[in-house]
Amino acid sequence: MEGIEHTRVEVNGINMHVAVKGQGPVVLFLHGFPELWYSWRHQILALSHKGYRCVAPDLRGFGDTDAPASVDSYNCVHVVSDLVALIQSLQVEKVFLVAHDWGAIIGWYLCLFRPELVKAYVCLSVPFFRRNPTVPTEEGKVEAEMAPLGAEYVIKNMLTNRRIGPPIFPKGEYGTAFNPDMTEDLPSWLTQQDLAYFVSKFEKTGFTGGLNYYRNFNKNWELTAPWSGAKIKVPVKFIAGELDSVYTSLGMKDYIESGGFKEDVPGLEEVIIQPGVAHFNNQETPHDITNHIYNFITKF
C-alpha cells in the first residue's frame, strides 16, 4: 500500500512483523482481535503524510509475527516486553501510542509499566480496567467451534457486528456468533479486498494466538498485583462508538460517565463518543479517527 515498508524486527525472543511509513515523531499503532497491522491502513497513510513515522506491528500470535505455542506466552508482561523492545529498536525515547480493542488493553499495560515511553495515548474502544479477576476462556473450545465456519465467515461476522451488549464468545455451537444479522453485502468501509487480506493471514495462522490473549486475563490479574490502585498519568484521549459492544456492556458507559474512568486515569483529557458508530471505529470512520489522533498529538 503506497510505499509502506514491511520489516521483521527481533524483539523479546520473537520475530515481529512491522509496517512502517513516514519520517518524524513515532506513532505506534496496536491492533485488536481479529485484526492485524492492516486495521490502521488509513491512519498510516494519512499521518505519514502529516509528518509522522507510523509504526504498526502485528502483535505476537497475529499475522506474520511469530506465534509462541504456550498460552502463558501471551500474558501482559510478554506482550509489553515486545513493545518495549520494538520502541528501543526505533531508537527513540518516547512514542505517541494509538491502540484499539486488545491493543488498547496492552496499551494501558504499557502506560502502567513504562509510562516514560509514552508521550500521549489515543485509546479506542476499551477504557482502563480496574484490577479484577476474570474467568478465562477454555483452551481449544472456541477454535473448535470456529473451524467449521472458516476464517472468512468468522472475521466478516465480527467486523460487521453492530449489536450492543457484552462482547463475549458464544457458548456451545458458534452458530451466528456475535452477529446474527450479518448480510452478504459488506459495509461501505470494508471492501472485499480488505476482508481478503485479513482472511489470507488468519487462514495461515488460525485464531489461537489471538484467543490466547483472552486466556491470560487471570494471569494478567496475578502479574499486575504490584500495580493495584495505580493511576494512569500519561495524557489520554479516549474514543468509542455509541454502538460499541464494549462501551455498551460491563458497566463501561457508567464507569466513563460517572467519573470513575477519570479517577483511575488522571491523565484523561478528552472522551469522544461517536454517534451511530460500532466497535471497529478506526476502520468504520477512518477520517474522523485520524483527525482526532492528529488534533491530540499535535498538542505535545
Side-chain angles (χ1 to χ4, degrees):
M1 290 182 65
E2 295 186 37
I4 294 177
E5 178 186 358
H6 294 271
T7 64
R8 289 178 68 82
V9 182
E10 186 175 345
V11 298
N12 189 32
I14 66 169
N15 289 308
M16 172 174 275
H17 165 250
V18 185
V20 182
K21 183 174 172 61
Q23 298 294 327
V26 172
V27 182
L28 177 61
F29 294 94
L30 307 180
H31 67 81
F33 178 83
E35 298 180 273
L36 304 162
W37 74 269
Y38 189 81
S39 301
W40 300 107
R41 57 198 179 278
H42 303 293
Q43 288 78 28
I44 291 170
L45 296 179
L47 290 173
S48 64
H49 288 307
K50 291 180 179 289
Y52 291 91
R53 185 182 182 190
C54 297
V55 178
D58 284 334
L59 296 176
R60 64 165 55 202
F62 290 89
D64 294 319
T65 292
D66 289 351
S70 71
V71 172
D72 187 64
S73 296
Y74 297 83
N75 70 52
C76 59
V77 171
H78 287 305
V79 181
V80 170
S81 296
D82 295 346
L83 300 179
V84 171
L86 175 60
I87 292 169
Q88 291 172 342
S89 77
L90 299 171
Q91 299 183 326
V92 296
E93 293 184 0
K94 293 175 178 277
V95 300
F96 291 113
L97 182 64
V98 181
H100 172 260
D101 189 77
W102 253 105
I105 297 174
I106 298 303
W108 290 119
Y109 286 132
L110 179 61
C111 292
L112 192 64
F113 299 162
R114 298 295 302 272
E116 77 279 7
L117 297 178
V118 182
K119 291 181 186 178
Y121 180 23
V122 180
C123 176
L124 276 56
S125 177
V126 184
F128 181 69
F129 284 157
R130 288 175 177 168
R131 186 174 170 271
N132 288 310
T134 305
V135 178
T137 307
E138 181 181 342
E139 184 175 356
K141 183 175 178 59
V142 176
E143 291 97 314
E145 294 167 0
M146 290 178 170
L149 299 167
E152 180 170 355
Y153 180 95
V154 172
I155 294 168
K156 180 180 177 182
N157 184 276
M158 295 180 71
L159 291 182
T160 61
N161 179 40
R162 304 187 72 79
R163 296 183 73 196
I164 62 174
I168 58 174
F169 293 111
K171 295 180 180 180
E173 294 299 319
Y174 190 79
T176 54
F178 299 89
N179 183 10
D181 303 318
M182 186 177 78
T183 64
E184 288 297 320
D185 295 332
L186 293 172
S188 60
W189 53 267
L190 184 69
T191 69
Q192 191 61 48
Q193 182 179 4
D194 294 333
L195 179 61
Y197 185 86
F198 287 114
V199 171
S200 69
K201 297 301 180 181
F202 280 97
E203 282 183 339
K204 293 179 181 178
T205 64
F207 294 97
T208 299
L211 293 172
N212 282 341
Y213 285 72
Y214 295 88
R215 296 181 175 118
N216 273 282
F217 270 127
N218 277 8
K219 184 66 173 181
N220 290 344
W221 179 77
E222 294 175 8
L223 292 171
T224 54
W227 290 272
S228 182
K231 308 293 185 181
I232 302 291
K233 298 179 181 178
V234 168
V236 173
K237 181 174 187 173
F238 177 77
I239 311 169
E242 69 171 351
L243 304 179
D244 189 311
S245 54
V246 177
Y247 177 66
T248 57
S249 61
L250 308 174
M252 291 299 177
K253 184 176 181 179
D254 181 64
Y255 170 62
I256 293 167
E257 294 179 349
S258 68
F261 188 18
K262 176 65 174 176
E263 180 182 344
D264 292 336
V265 184
L268 181 65
E269 297 189 12
E270 296 181 59
V271 173
I272 305 295
I273 306 301
Q274 299 172 288
V277 177
H279 181 64
F280 296 95
N281 53 347
N282 54 335
Q283 298 186 73
E284 183 178 346
T285 59
H287 302 300
D288 193 30
I289 293 299
T290 297
N291 289 335
H292 278 304
I293 295 169
Y294 181 71
N295 291 339
F296 189 60
I297 65 178
T298 51
K299 295 165 58 176
F300 302 94

